């Protein structure tokens, strides 16, 4: 379905699960592995999968580090309206530019499945040559959101790489 990625070469990705309970080992991380598997199916090489607590500074530091290492960072979790949900704030703090249309597309597609998608505050943005996307914390919501933007990922990464010619 997304053969253009395979034709252009393999892109590297990182998956970051943001969850207090997963980081403490109290709950199994199901979203991170689901996102990693979905990314691999569309041609990404997942270089790392990490779990961090809902702590803005820890999330920011990890995003900064990973943006130097991979082309796509997919976070899962911490995008809702609970007091500890700070992934969007951490992402905005490290991004040089936001890609509002991608976040809008994810929410719009999510609304087709559940009205709770309206409570997602996930953002998408750019740091250097890395694209950062915030996905919901539920495995189903994360997979649906990723599926919504999957056709855009290779083109966005190409643009960040300086490949701006039009066919």
């Amino acid at each position: 379905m997304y053969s253009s990625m395979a034709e252009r070469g393999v892109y590297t990705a990182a998956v970051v699960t943001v969850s207090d309970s997963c980081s403490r080992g109290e709950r199994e991380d199901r979203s991170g592995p689901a996102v990693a598997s979905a990314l691999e199916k569309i041609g990404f090489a997942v270089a790392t999968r990490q779990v961090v607590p809902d702590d803005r500074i820890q999330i920011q530091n990890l995003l900064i580090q990973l943006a130097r290492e991979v082309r796509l960072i997919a976070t899962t979790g911490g995008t809702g309206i609970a007091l500890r949900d700070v992934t969007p704030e951490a992402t905005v703090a490290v991004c040089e530019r936001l890609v509002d249309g991608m976040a809008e597309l994810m929410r719009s597609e999510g609304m087709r499945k559940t009205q709770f998608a309206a409570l997602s505050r996930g953002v998408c943005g750019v740091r250097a040559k890395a694209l950062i996307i915030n996905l919901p914390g539920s495995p189903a919501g994360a997979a649906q959101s990723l599926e919504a933007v999957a056709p855009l990922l290779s083109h966005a990464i190409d643009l960040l790489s300086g490949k701006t010619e039009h066919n």
Side-chain angles (χ1 to χ4, degrees), residues 70-82:
V70 299
R71 303 309 313 277
L72 174 69
I73 303 167
T75 69
T76 176
T79 62
I81 60 171

Side-chain angles (χ1 to χ4, degrees), residues 14-25:
V15 177
V16 177
T17 300
V18 180
S19 168
D20 285 334
S21 58
C22 288
S23 72
R24 291 190 301 257

Side-chain angles (χ1 to χ4, degrees), residues 11-17 35-36 39 44-50 62-63 66-67 69-76 131 133:
Y11 296 116
T12 55
V15 177
V16 177
T17 300
V35 169
L39 285 171
F44 280 87
V46 177
T48 187
R49 212 168 32 84
Q50 300 195 28
L62 184 56
L63 293 176
L66 292 172
E69 301 170 6
V70 299
R71 303 309 313 277
L72 174 69
I73 303 167
T75 69
T76 176
L131 178 65
I133 60 173

